[in-house]
Amino acid sequence: MAKLSKSAKLYLVVVFAILYAPIFYLIFYSFNSGGTMSSFEGFTLEHYGAVFNDTRLLIILMNTVIIALLSSLISTAIGVLGAIGIVFLRNRKTRNAVLSLNTILIVSPDVIIGASFLILFTMIGVKLGFASVLISHIAFSIPIVVIMVLPKLQEMSGSLIDAATDLGASKRDILTRVIIPYIKPGIFAGFFLALTYSLDDFAVTFFVTGNGFSTLSIEIYSMARAGITLTINALSALIFVVTLGLVLGYYFFNQRAGQTPGTGGAKL
């Protein structure tokens, strides 16, 4: 692997500094005892205390976590089966068409997706709230899972399935004891990425949420419109730490799976 030149390293440092400086600036002032972000008057945790003492905010946090976990689990299950179905499609044109449709859903603007779901739920009479947000998050997470699982499926040798078939394994055994163990890193990657997208999503959720139900992204937006307070800084800092933890968790599982010898399926 070629080493980066000094200019390339400097360029990366500048890029990451520009990206992360506003975040660390926000986190720094979340510990400010003053009420503004103009000057740092002293260290305090009162803004974090205000977050955890706000019952309504804790309920919204719980809503956000439940939506993220449920949507990630369901979308991972559907996405894995969808990716397997795509790989085993015999017609190449049909397979490429399905992959193109999946990619379109990923690159489509969130505003378009959110507005489409709003129109759909209004037409079929689905009440905006928990159910509408959950369905929307599942829908935009499935293509992400498919994209993360496909590479592992494509690198899996067909001889594994042939060997399992020759040994008398049923289709269920092949799925649960050969395919699933082999693509486990992709499954974990898809799950964590779907979880992160769900926790951070604003545009789609903004369209499909209703009165009496909210998520953290919507709540932060509402609080910011009323005026920037350091409570928003503390809440945003907590979300950043959680998101960072999810990313590190993904890399931990990915690295652990990569170090495990014999990634093939379990014995039949």
Side-chain angles (χ1 to χ4, degrees), residues 11 39 108 130 147 152 160 165 229 246 253 262:
Y11 173 78
S39 61
S108 295
F130 179 85
I147 288 295
K152 294 299 296 180
L160 291 174
T165 304
T229 65
L246 291 174
F253 281 109

Side-chain angles (χ1 to χ4, degrees), residues 7-202:
S7 58
K9 291 179 180 179
L10 179 61
Y11 173 78
L12 288 176
V13 170
V14 172
V15 169
F16 280 110
I18 293 173
L19 291 174
Y20 281 93
I23 297 175
F24 290 125
Y25 179 79
L26 179 147
I27 295 175
F28 175 74
Y29 273 95
S30 69
F31 299 103
N32 184 18
S33 59
T36 65
M37 294 178 63
S38 58
S39 61
F40 192 88
E41 298 181 8
F43 181 86
T44 182
L45 294 175
E46 63 177 337
H47 305 297
Y48 290 90
V51 171
F52 290 105
N53 289 330
D54 191 334
T55 305
R56 180 176 177 275
L57 202 56
L58 293 178
I59 293 174
I60 292 173
L61 172 62
M62 189 178 300
N63 291 339
T64 305
V65 173
I66 291 173
I67 287 288
L69 288 174
L70 283 178
S71 64
S72 301
L73 287 171
I74 297 173
S75 62
T76 300
I78 298 174
V80 168
L81 295 177
I84 294 173
I86 291 173
V87 167
F88 284 97
L89 281 174
R90 295 184 178 181
N91 190 308
R92 179 175 294 180
K93 290 184 178 180
T94 303
R95 183 167 62 247
N96 291 336
V98 174
L99 282 173
S100 298
L101 290 174
N102 185 81
T103 305
I104 289 172
L105 291 175
I106 295 177
V107 300
S108 295
D110 290 344
V111 174
I112 302 297
I113 297 175
S116 300
F117 274 117
L118 176 60
I119 295 172
L120 174 64
F121 293 142
T122 303
M123 289 176 59
I124 64 179
V126 174
K127 185 179 179 181
L128 298 182
F130 179 85
S132 61
V133 174
L134 178 61
I135 294 171
S136 301
H137 282 223
I138 292 172
F140 71 65
S141 296
I142 290 175
I144 298 171
V145 177
V146 171
I147 288 295
M148 299 304 294
V149 173
L150 271 176
K152 294 299 296 180
L153 282 169
Q154 291 170 341
E155 75 177 32
M156 184 176 68
S157 174
S159 60
L160 291 174
I161 298 177
D162 294 337
T165 304
D166 293 340
L167 291 171
S170 63
K171 291 183 178 180
R172 181 178 179 180
D173 289 331
I174 293 173
L175 176 64
T176 58
R177 304 179 69 178
V178 178
I179 298 177
I180 297 297
Y182 190 92
I183 64 173
K184 191 180 293 183
I187 295 175
F188 278 116
F191 173 78
F192 280 113
L193 199 57
L195 187 65
T196 303
Y197 267 74
S198 179
L199 288 172
D200 294 343
D201 180 73
F202 170 77

